[in-house]
Amino acid sequence: MTYRVCFVCTGNICRSPMAEAVFRARVTEAGLDGVVEVDSAGTGGWHEGEGADPRTVSVLEEHGYPLAHTARQFRSAWFDRLDLVIALDAGHLKALRRLAPTAEDAAKVRLLRSYDHGAGHDLDVPDPYYGGRDGFEECLEMVEAASEGLLAAVRDEVEGRAA
């Protein structure tokens, strides 16, 4: 049975596609790519149909992460097929939990940096869109740091299903 994870930010062109690319790489490295599916979406549809921000693409490519991406808006109906919905900041977390049809679905929504034990109290991944390239590099660092803990949690879930 496939375990499905969806990363969500505002427009699905910066943070969530970056998290998708990094986490997909971690899943592949762990040999779980046949068991875990990874995708992303935005809370809004402003960029639907567009590719990822060129700064996101260049930062990912420079760090060895491939990305083929088309932005889309998260839909409430997707909760049925998803096991985990990863919000990139507290605003996304609130919006997604409001969108969830049931309390069980709302419980599937978590903040990415909650999986980074060194993150401290501020669990938001700042939006790099209106800034310079440094913000995209910082975003990647935060995503990479949280991805290891997220992978461990997903692996536990997958192994728990197989038992």
Side-chain angles (χ1 to χ4, degrees):
M1 193 164 158
T2 304
Y3 190 91
R4 292 177 175 87
V5 180
C6 184
F7 293 92
V8 182
C9 70
T10 306
N12 192 218
I13 60 169
C14 295
R15 293 173 284 178
S16 59
M18 189 175 283
E20 174 187 353
V22 170
F23 193 65
R24 182 176 288 120
R26 296 297 177 271
V27 164
T28 300
E29 290 164 4
L32 296 173
D33 48 328
V35 183
V36 178
E37 285 183 9
V38 182
D39 63 12
S40 65
T43 56
W46 308 279
H47 298 285
E48 264 188 311
E50 297 176 18
D53 186 291
R55 297 166 293 179
T56 297
V57 174
S58 78
V59 167
L60 286 171
E61 285 176 353
E62 286 175 17
H63 292 274
Y65 298 106
L67 177 67
H69 178 75
T70 302
R72 62 196 185 135
Q73 183 175 0
F74 189 88
R75 307 282 182 222
S76 178
W78 296 358
F79 276 104
D80 278 349
R81 66 176 179 82
L82 294 170
D83 297 288
L84 195 54
V85 180
I86 302 294
L88 276 290
D89 70 27
H92 306 133
L93 180 80
K94 290 175 189 166
L96 289 162
R97 286 188 172 161
R98 279 193 308 268
L99 192 61
T102 68
E104 181 179 275
D105 290 327
K108 295 177 183 180
V109 183
R110 308 275 171 73
L111 279 168
L112 175 63
R113 292 193 72 212
S114 68
Y115 293 95
D116 178 359
H117 301 298
H121 296 293
D122 184 4
L123 298 181
D124 286 354
V125 175
D127 188 351
Y129 185 77
Y130 294 104
R133 184 176 170 82
D134 289 353
F136 288 82
E137 291 284 351
E138 179 186 20
C139 180
L140 179 62
E141 289 173 15
M142 290 179 174
V143 166
E144 286 178 327
S147 289
E148 295 304 319
L150 176 57
L151 180 64
V154 168
R155 186 190 319 253
D156 287 348
E157 287 291 318
V158 168
E159 290 173 357
R161 287 181 174 185

